[in-house]
Coordinates of all heavy atoms in Angstrom, one line a residue:
Chain V
V126 N -8.2 -8.2 -7.9 CA -6.8 -8.0 -7.4 C -5.8 -8.5 -8.4 O -6.0 -9.6 -8.9 CB -6.6 -8.7 -6.0 CG1 -5.2 -8.5 -5.5 CG2 -7.7 -8.2 -5.0
A127 N -4.8 -7.7 -8.7 CA -3.8 -8.1 -9.6 C -2.4 -7.7 -9.1 O -2.3 -6.9 -8.1 CB -4.0 -7.3 -11.0
E128 N -1.4 -8.3 -9.6 CA 0.0 -8.0 -9.2 C 0.8 -7.9 -10.4 O 0.5 -8.4 -11.5 CB 0.5 -9.0 -8.2 CG 0.8 -10.3 -8.8 CD 1.4 -11.3 -7.9 OE1 1.5 -11.1 -6.6 OE2 1.9 -12.4 -8.3
S129 N 1.9 -7.1 -10.3 CA 2.9 -7.0 -11.4 C 4.3 -7.1 -10.8 O 4.6 -6.6 -9.8 CB 2.7 -5.7 -12.2 OG 3.5 -5.7 -13.3
A130 N 5.2 -7.8 -11.6 CA 6.6 -7.8 -11.2 C 7.3 -7.1 -12.4 O 7.0 -7.3 -13.6 CB 7.1 -9.2 -11.1
V131 N 8.2 -6.1 -12.1 CA 8.9 -5.3 -13.1 C 10.3 -5.7 -13.1 O 11.0 -5.9 -12.1 CB 8.7 -3.8 -12.9 CG1 9.4 -3.1 -14.0 CG2 7.3 -3.4 -12.8
F132 N 10.9 -6.0 -14.4 CA 12.2 -6.5 -14.6 C 13.0 -5.5 -15.4 O 12.4 -4.9 -16.4 CB 12.2 -7.8 -15.2 CG 11.5 -8.8 -14.4 CD1 10.1 -9.0 -14.5 CD2 12.2 -9.7 -13.6 CE1 9.4 -9.9 -13.7 CE2 11.6 -10.7 -12.8 CZ 10.1 -10.8 -12.9
A133 N 14.3 -5.3 -15.1 CA 15.2 -4.5 -16.0 C 16.0 -5.6 -16.7 O 16.4 -6.6 -16.1 CB 16.1 -3.6 -15.2
I134 N 16.3 -5.3 -18.0 CA 17.2 -6.2 -18.8 C 18.4 -5.5 -19.2 O 18.3 -4.4 -19.8 CB 16.5 -6.8 -20.0 CG1 15.4 -7.8 -19.5 CG2 17.4 -7.5 -20.9 CD1 14.0 -7.4 -19.9
K135 N 19.6 -6.0 -18.8 CA 20.9 -5.4 -19.2 C 21.8 -6.5 -19.7 O 22.0 -7.5 -18.9 CB 21.5 -4.8 -17.9 CG 22.8 -4.1 -18.1 CD 22.7 -2.7 -18.5 CE 24.0 -2.0 -18.7 NZ 23.9 -0.6 -19.1
D136 N 22.2 -6.4 -20.9 CA 23.1 -7.4 -21.5 C 22.4 -8.8 -21.4 O 23.1 -9.8 -21.1 CB 24.4 -7.4 -20.8 CG 25.2 -6.1 -21.0 OD1 25.0 -5.5 -22.1 OD2 25.9 -5.7 -20.1
G137 N 21.1 -8.8 -21.6 CA 20.4 -10.1 -21.6 C 20.0 -10.7 -20.3 O 19.4 -11.7 -20.2
V138 N 20.5 -10.0 -19.2 CA 20.2 -10.5 -17.8 C 19.0 -9.8 -17.2 O 19.0 -8.6 -17.2 CB 21.4 -10.4 -16.9 CG1 21.1 -11.0 -15.5 CG2 22.6 -11.1 -17.5
E139 N 18.0 -10.6 -16.8 CA 16.9 -9.9 -16.1 C 17.1 -9.8 -14.6 O 17.5 -10.8 -14.0 CB 15.7 -10.8 -16.3 CG 14.8 -10.5 -17.5 CD 13.5 -11.4 -17.4 OE1 13.0 -11.6 -16.4 OE2 13.1 -11.8 -18.5
I140 N 16.7 -8.7 -14.1 CA 16.7 -8.6 -12.6 C 15.3 -7.9 -12.3 O 14.9 -7.0 -12.9 CB 17.8 -7.8 -12.0 CG1 17.7 -7.7 -10.5 CG2 17.9 -6.4 -12.6 CD1 19.0 -7.3 -9.8
E141 N 14.7 -8.5 -11.2 CA 13.4 -7.9 -10.8 C 13.7 -6.6 -10.0 O 14.5 -6.6 -9.0 CB 12.7 -8.9 -9.8 CG 11.3 -8.4 -9.5 CD 10.5 -9.4 -8.7 OE1 11.0 -10.6 -8.6 OE2 9.4 -9.1 -8.2
I142 N 13.1 -5.5 -10.4 CA 13.4 -4.2 -9.8 C 12.2 -3.7 -9.0 O 12.3 -2.7 -8.3 CB 13.8 -3.2 -10.9 CG1 12.7 -3.0 -11.9 CG2 15.1 -3.5 -11.5 CD1 12.9 -1.7 -12.8
G143 N 11.0 -4.3 -9.1 CA 9.9 -3.8 -8.4 C 8.7 -4.7 -8.4 O 8.6 -5.6 -9.3
R144 N 7.8 -4.5 -7.5 CA 6.6 -5.4 -7.5 C 5.4 -4.5 -7.0 O 5.5 -3.6 -6.2 CB 6.8 -6.4 -6.5 CG 5.8 -7.5 -6.6 CD 6.2 -8.8 -5.9 NE 7.2 -9.5 -6.6 CZ 7.3 -10.9 -6.5 NH1 6.5 -11.5 -5.8 NH2 8.3 -11.4 -7.2
M145 N 4.3 -4.7 -7.7 CA 3.1 -4.0 -7.4 C 2.0 -4.9 -6.9 O 1.9 -6.1 -7.5 CB 2.6 -3.3 -8.7 CG 1.2 -2.6 -8.5 SD 0.8 -1.7 -10.0 CE 1.7 -0.2 -9.8
L146 N 1.1 -4.5 -6.0 CA -0.1 -5.2 -5.6 C -1.2 -4.1 -5.8 O -1.2 -3.1 -5.3 CB 0.0 -5.6 -4.2 CG -1.2 -6.5 -3.6 CD1 -1.4 -7.7 -4.5 CD2 -0.8 -6.9 -2.2
A147 N -2.2 -4.5 -6.7 CA -3.2 -3.5 -7.1 C -4.6 -4.0 -7.1 O -4.9 -5.2 -7.1 CB -2.8 -3.1 -8.6
T148 N -5.6 -3.0 -7.0 CA -7.0 -3.3 -7.0 C -7.6 -2.6 -8.2 O -7.4 -1.4 -8.4 CB -7.7 -2.7 -5.7 OG1 -7.0 -3.2 -4.6 CG2 -9.1 -3.2 -5.6
M149 N -8.3 -3.3 -9.0 CA -9.0 -2.8 -10.2 C -10.5 -2.9 -10.0 O -11.0 -3.8 -9.3 CB -8.6 -3.6 -11.4 CG -7.1 -3.7 -11.7 SD -6.5 -2.1 -12.5 CE -4.8 -2.0 -11.9
M150 N -11.2 -2.0 -10.7 CA -12.7 -2.0 -10.6 C -13.3 -2.2 -12.0 O -12.9 -1.5 -12.9 CB -13.1 -0.7 -10.0 CG -14.6 -0.7 -9.6 SD -15.0 0.8 -8.7 CE -16.6 0.4 -8.0
F151 N -14.2 -3.1 -12.1 CA -15.0 -3.2 -13.3 C -16.2 -2.4 -13.3 O -16.9 -2.3 -12.3 CB -15.4 -4.7 -13.5 CG -14.3 -5.6 -13.8 CD1 -14.5 -7.0 -13.9 CD2 -13.0 -5.2 -14.0 CE1 -13.4 -7.9 -14.1 CE2 -11.9 -6.0 -14.3 CZ -12.2 -7.4 -14.4
L152 N -16.5 -1.7 -14.4 CA -17.7 -0.7 -14.4 C -18.6 -1.3 -15.5 O -18.4 -1.2 -16.7 CB -17.2 0.6 -14.9 CG -16.0 1.2 -14.1 CD1 -15.6 2.5 -14.7 CD2 -16.4 1.3 -12.6
E153 N -19.7 -1.9 -15.0 CA -20.7 -2.5 -15.9 C -21.4 -1.5 -16.8 O -21.7 -0.4 -16.3 CB -21.7 -3.3 -15.1 CG -21.2 -4.6 -14.6 CD -22.3 -5.4 -13.9 OE1 -23.3 -5.7 -14.5 OE2 -22.1 -5.8 -12.7
G154 N -21.5 -1.8 -18.1 CA -22.1 -0.9 -19.0 C -21.5 0.4 -19.2 O -22.1 1.4 -19.6
K155 N -20.2 0.4 -18.9 CA -19.4 1.7 -19.1 C -18.1 1.3 -19.8 O -17.0 1.5 -19.3 CB -19.0 2.3 -17.7 CG -20.3 2.5 -16.9 CD -20.1 3.7 -16.0 CE -21.4 3.9 -15.2 NZ -21.4 5.2 -14.4
G156 N -18.3 0.7 -21.0 CA -17.2 0.2 -21.8 C -16.1 1.3 -22.2 O -15.1 0.9 -22.7
G157 N -16.5 2.5 -22.0 CA -15.6 3.6 -22.4 C -15.8 4.0 -23.9 O -16.4 3.2 -24.7
M158 N -15.4 5.2 -24.1 CA -15.6 5.8 -25.5 C -14.3 5.8 -26.2 O -13.2 5.8 -25.7 CB -16.1 7.2 -25.3 CG -17.5 7.3 -24.7 SD -17.8 9.0 -24.1 CE -16.7 9.0 -22.6
Q159 N -14.4 5.9 -27.5 CA -13.2 6.1 -28.3 C -12.7 7.5 -28.0 O -13.4 8.4 -27.6 CB -13.6 6.0 -29.8 CG -14.0 4.6 -30.3 CD -13.0 3.5 -29.8 OE1 -11.8 3.7 -30.0 NE2 -13.5 2.4 -29.3
G160 N -11.4 7.7 -28.2 CA -10.7 8.9 -27.8 C -11.4 10.2 -28.3 O -11.6 11.1 -27.6
A161 N -11.7 10.2 -29.6 CA -12.3 11.4 -30.2 C -13.6 11.8 -29.5 O -13.8 12.9 -29.1 CB -12.4 11.3 -31.7
A162 N -14.5 10.8 -29.4 CA -15.8 11.0 -28.8 C -15.6 11.5 -27.4 O -16.3 12.5 -26.9 CB -16.6 9.8 -28.9
A163 N -14.7 10.9 -26.7 CA -14.5 11.3 -25.3 C -14.0 12.7 -25.2 O -14.5 13.5 -24.3 CB -13.5 10.3 -24.6
R164 N -13.0 13.0 -26.0 CA -12.5 14.4 -26.0 C -13.6 15.4 -26.3 O -13.7 16.4 -25.7 CB -11.3 14.5 -27.0 CG -10.0 14.4 -26.3 CD -8.9 14.7 -27.3 NE -8.8 13.8 -28.4 CZ -8.2 12.6 -28.5 NH1 -7.5 12.3 -27.4 NH2 -8.2 11.9 -29.5
A165 N -14.4 15.1 -27.3 CA -15.5 16.0 -27.7 C -16.4 16.2 -26.5 O -16.8 17.3 -26.2 CB -16.3 15.5 -28.9
R166 N -16.8 15.1 -25.9 CA -17.7 15.2 -24.8 C -17.1 16.0 -23.7 O -17.8 16.8 -23.1 CB -18.1 13.8 -24.3 CG -19.0 13.8 -23.1 CD -19.5 12.4 -22.8 NE -20.1 12.3 -21.5 CZ -19.4 12.3 -20.3 NH1 -18.2 12.3 -20.3 NH2 -20.1 12.3 -19.2
R167 N -15.8 15.8 -23.4 CA -15.2 16.5 -22.3 C -15.2 18.0 -22.6 O -15.4 18.8 -21.7 CB -13.7 16.0 -22.2 CG -13.5 14.6 -21.6 CD -13.3 14.8 -20.0 NE -12.3 15.8 -19.8 CZ -11.0 15.6 -20.1 NH1 -10.6 14.5 -20.5 NH2 -10.1 16.6 -19.8
R168 N -15.1 18.4 -23.9 CA -15.1 19.8 -24.2 C -16.4 20.4 -24.0 O -16.5 21.6 -23.6 CB -14.6 20.0 -25.6 CG -13.1 19.9 -25.8 CD -12.6 20.4 -27.1 NE -11.3 19.8 -27.4 CZ -11.2 18.8 -28.2 NH1 -12.2 18.2 -28.9 NH2 -10.0 18.2 -28.4
R169 N -17.5 19.7 -24.2 CA -18.8 20.2 -24.0 C -19.1 20.4 -22.5 O -20.1 21.2 -22.2 CB -19.8 19.2 -24.6 CG -19.9 19.3 -26.1 CD -21.3 18.6 -26.6 NE -21.4 17.2 -26.1 CZ -20.9 16.2 -26.8 NH1 -20.2 16.4 -27.9 NH2 -21.0 15.0 -26.3
L170 N -18.5 19.7 -21.6 CA -18.7 19.9 -20.2 C -18.2 21.3 -19.8 O -16.9 21.4 -19.6 CB -18.1 18.8 -19.4 CG -18.6 17.4 -19.5 CD1 -17.7 16.4 -18.8 CD2 -20.1 17.3 -19.0
S171 N -19.0 22.2 -19.6 CA -18.5 23.6 -19.3 C -18.3 23.8 -17.8 O -17.7 24.6 -17.3 CB -19.4 24.7 -19.9 OG -20.7 24.5 -19.4
V172 N -19.0 23.0 -17.0 CA -18.9 23.1 -15.6 C -18.4 21.8 -15.0 O -18.9 20.7 -15.2 CB -20.2 23.4 -14.9 CG1 -20.0 23.6 -13.4 CG2 -20.8 24.7 -15.5
W173 N -17.3 21.9 -14.3 CA -16.7 20.7 -13.6 C -16.9 21.0 -12.1 O -16.3 21.9 -11.6 CB -15.3 20.5 -13.9 CG -14.7 19.4 -13.1 CD1 -13.9 19.5 -12.0 CD2 -14.8 18.0 -13.3 NE1 -13.6 18.3 -11.5 CE2 -14.1 17.4 -12.3 CE3 -15.4 17.2 -14.3 CZ2 -14.1 16.0 -12.2 CZ3 -15.4 15.9 -14.2 CH2 -14.7 15.2 -13.1
S174 N -17.8 20.2 -11.5 CA -18.0 20.5 -10.1 C -17.7 19.3 -9.2 O -17.6 18.2 -9.8 CB -19.4 20.9 -9.9 OG -20.3 19.8 -10.1
T175 N -17.6 19.5 -8.0 CA -17.5 18.3 -7.1 C -18.6 17.4 -7.3 O -18.4 16.2 -7.2 CB -17.5 18.9 -5.6 OG1 -16.4 19.8 -5.5 CG2 -17.4 17.8 -4.6
R176 N -19.8 17.9 -7.5 CA -20.9 17.0 -7.6 C -20.8 16.1 -8.9 O -20.9 14.9 -8.8 CB -22.2 17.9 -7.9 CG -23.5 17.1 -8.1 CD -24.7 18.0 -8.3 NE -24.9 19.0 -7.2 CZ -25.6 18.8 -6.2 NH1 -26.2 17.6 -6.1 NH2 -25.7 19.7 -5.3
V177 N -20.3 16.7 -10.0 CA -20.1 15.8 -11.2 C -19.1 14.8 -10.9 O -19.2 13.6 -11.2 CB -19.7 16.7 -12.4 CG1 -19.3 15.8 -13.5 CG2 -20.9 17.6 -12.8
S178 N -18.0 15.2 -10.3 CA -16.9 14.3 -10.1 C -17.4 13.2 -9.2 O -17.1 12.0 -9.4 CB -15.8 15.0 -9.4 OG -14.9 14.1 -8.9
A179 N -18.2 13.5 -8.1 CA -18.6 12.5 -7.2 C -19.5 11.5 -7.9 O -19.5 10.3 -7.7 CB -19.4 13.1 -6.1
I180 N -20.4 12.0 -8.8 CA -21.3 11.1 -9.6 C -20.4 10.2 -10.5 O -20.6 9.0 -10.6 CB -22.3 11.9 -10.4 CG1 -23.3 12.6 -9.5 CG2 -23.0 11.0 -11.4 CD1 -24.1 13.6 -10.1
T181 N -19.5 10.8 -11.2 CA -18.6 10.0 -12.1 C -17.9 8.9 -11.3 O -17.9 7.8 -11.8 CB -17.5 10.9 -12.7 OG1 -18.2 12.0 -13.3 CG2 -16.7 10.1 -13.7

Side-chain angles (χ1 to χ4, degrees):
Chain V
V126 178
E128 67 177 12
S129 184
V131 183
F132 299 82
I134 290 119
K135 179 89 181 179
D136 298 325
V138 179
E139 266 188 37
I140 181 165
E141 186 175 351
I142 60 168
R144 192 165 288 209
M145 173 176 281
L146 184 56
T148 310
M149 301 282 150
M150 190 174 196
F151 289 174
L152 310 177
E153 284 185 56
K155 307 209 176 187
M158 296 162 286
Q159 296 305 319
R164 263 188 297 272
R166 179 172 166 282
R167 287 266 311 286
R168 283 195 203 96
R169 282 197 303 274
L170 291 173
S171 57
V172 180
W173 173 261
S174 69
T175 298
R176 181 183 302 270
V177 169
S178 165
I180 291 168
T181 306

